[in-house]
Amino acid sequence: MSDLRELYQEVILDHHKRPRNFHKLEDANRHAEGFNPLCGDKIQLYLRVEDGIVRDAGFEGSGCAISTASASLMTEMLKGKTEAESEALFEKFHDLVTGKSMPDSASLGKLAVFSGVREYPVRVKCAVLAWHTLRAALQGSLERVATE
Amino acid sequence: MKSTEEITSGKFAGTGPSIDVERVRRDFPLLEEKVHGRKLAYLDNAATTQKPRQVIDAMMQFYTSGCSNVHRGVHLLSERATANYESARSRLRRFINARDDREIVFVRGATEAINLVASSFGKAHVKPGDEILITGMEHHSNIVPWQVVCEERGARLRVVPINLAGELLVEEYEKLLNPRTSLVAVTHVSNALGTVNPVRHIVEMAHRNGTPVLIDGAQAVQHLRVDVQALDCDFYAFSGHKMYGPTGIGVLYGKERWLESMPPYQAGGDMITSVTFEKTIYAKLPHKFEAGTPDIAGVIGLGAAVDYLESLGVDRIAEHEHALLEYGTKVLQAVPGVRIIGTAPGKTSVLSFTLEGVHPHDVGTILDQEGIAIRTGHHCAQPVMDFFRIPATARASLALYNTREELDTLAAGLRRVAEVFN
């Protein structure tokens, strides 16, 4: 059970039950769709980017606790960040969940709660789905992102 | 003697002493494994079954003392390998009661069997404007090959709908059959729902329409006795690894007259009688469809799997699994928030379910920590998930070696999942 608590931390369960920014952005100027064909998780990500800064973010879709909480926390963290900062955050997050390195928790903020994912390699895709979708939205790609 | 409908509806009468589960479990070395320090409860048998020692030993024996190519060479080992290979074919023919060994084609699995028919039958018999009829509960492997054929041949794919219990709407099926229907491809047992389809009836109606039928038996042969002559189906496809045999080997049964009418699927050695640069004469059935050196060890292992199933008796296995299904349905329904997906009266031992407020993926991860192996996801049947308006299910699928105790462990595990999430 202790291991599971490592993965399913309170913050994750909370964001799963009550996802933040869980809505379409009517004034979004960036949008991308993410899909994990392995488990059927789907996400629609909406961003309003002005002067290179993410002003607002929202998402819709269905997924497991890890992917929903990841999208929820991501949209919270993005607001006010530049596109470059958002990209850099993805890199750090990716390193965290794949166990590649242990980034300093200060730069990750709340995202540090996903550290448990590295013990569950098959769940990494759940954690990064929203972030891959973010990258596609920032790059203006119109193709659906699939984590396969 | 049971009627075919009785056999295919998943209802079974007693047939002597039931299976001694504790004894058969000892045949499966993997069941001794620990997972995350827990006793393994392997409930993912619809994905693949574990292999009994008898199968592993037969393959080991081939590689350690019998390895040789087949249908070539005059030396003793080659003769022996050929005899073993062809003997396995005969046992498989008897296993599904085909008329002739020539109707048993070895392939990599049910997927390749279906692709073979799609490609070769398609070339020979599907014309522009034709229709291929499948159902709403097919595995992707019995959808996509037909989409490809339809694309290539200018034909149209049509789909028989299902109801909320997960049963085929037979009256809709009858309406969809028409003079343009060139093939019906239907699963015998749904991998995602466990539904046993009334395939005898389906074949009868198709034949009345002059249409041949392919049955995907990947989820059937290990659970219920299949008699292809009684079913009168034209093709029957199944995989070895879901019936306690090795991975990478399977069978396509085809009525001789259909197989004769179809061009080879792949070309190369072993499928020819003579080759010159001007003209090649193809080999006779079944070798016409077995190009190249086959998976000899796989075939020998599959033969051993058939022997193993026959030694226990498919009817007794079915009886054991049916009792497990009833017990499992009861204990799962007692877990708050569980909804069973697939509630047809005629089912094999598949328990697909959702747990309220928890995604199946999370259910799977938590159960895994308890040593319980189940499948989560869309089970390669996305249209089925779409029909039930769910992204995925958790699926426990039971085999001859599973026990009530393991189902209790599953139910307890699901209560732990609810604990973590509340």
Side-chain angles (χ1 to χ4, degrees), chain B residues 132-175:
Chain B
I132 289 168
L133 190 51
I134 63 169
T135 82
M137 67 170 91
E138 300 306 317
H139 185 281
H140 294 166
S141 61
N142 204 25
I143 301 173
V144 186
W146 306 116
Q147 288 175 324
V148 172
V149 172
C150 286
E151 177 94 356
E152 282 173 2
R153 316 293 306 171
R156 181 178 174 207
L157 190 68
R158 308 214 60 186
V159 184
V160 183
I162 61 174
N163 66 19
L164 284 168
E167 296 165 297
L168 204 64
L169 296 176
V170 178
E171 61 283 8
E172 295 299 316
Y173 164 66
E174 198 162 12
K175 277 186 225 159

Side-chain angles (χ1 to χ4, degrees), chain A residues 1 3-5 7-8 13 16-17 35 37-39 41 62-66 120 123 126, chain B residues 357-359 361-363 365-366 369-370 376-378 382 386 391-392 416 419-422:
Chain A
M1 272 313 255
D3 287 357
L4 280 171
R5 284 287 175 212
L7 178 66
Y8 293 109
L13 292 174
H16 160 61
K17 271 181 223 157
F35 180 52
L38 198 69
C39 55
D41 286 3
S62 73
C64 64
I66 306 297
Y120 299 83
R123 304 305 300 274
C126 311
Chain B
V358 190
H359 191 279
H361 223 168
D362 297 311
V363 172
T365 292
I366 296 171
Q369 293 296 309
E370 306 275 327
T376 63
H378 51 57
Q382 284 179 11
D386 291 344
R416 300 292 288 271
E419 256 173 55
V420 171
F421 271 75
N422 283 307

Side-chain angles (χ1 to χ4, degrees), chain B residues 254-306:
Chain B
K255 276 185 187 164
E256 195 176 335
R257 71 179 181 94
W258 284 117
L259 293 177
E260 288 288 7
S261 76
M262 288 155 48
Y265 177 51
Q266 292 178 337
D270 232 18
M271 54 76 74
I272 46 85
T273 296
S274 75
V275 176
T276 65
F277 288 115
E278 289 69 39
K279 185 168 173 59
T280 290
I281 299 167
Y282 300 137
K284 295 207 176 312
L285 291 175
H287 307 291
K288 181 172 95 176
F289 290 107
E290 292 180 2
T293 295
D295 180 359
I296 306 164
V299 167
I300 287 170
L302 182 54
V306 167

Side-chain angles (χ1 to χ4, degrees), chain B residues 294-314:
Chain B
D295 180 359
I296 306 164
V299 167
I300 287 170
L302 182 54
V306 167
D307 295 345
Y308 186 80
L309 283 168
E310 301 281 18
S311 75
L312 293 177
V314 175

Side-chain angles (χ1 to χ4, degrees), chain A residues 82-97:
Chain A
T82 65
E83 292 188 40
E85 284 166 348
S86 305
E87 266 290 329
L89 196 57
F90 179 18
E91 291 301 325
K92 280 186 184 143
F93 181 75
H94 198 268
D95 287 352
L96 174 80
V97 295

Side-chain angles (χ1 to χ4, degrees), chain B residues 333-367:
Chain B
Q333 276 170 338
V335 178
V338 165
R339 173 188 167 206
I340 292 179
I341 308 291
T343 50
K347 263 180 73 169
T348 58
S349 45
V350 168
L351 286 159
S352 224
F353 61 93
T354 56
L355 182 62
E356 203 184 335
V358 190
H359 191 279
H361 223 168
D362 297 311
V363 172
T365 292
I366 296 171
L367 290 181

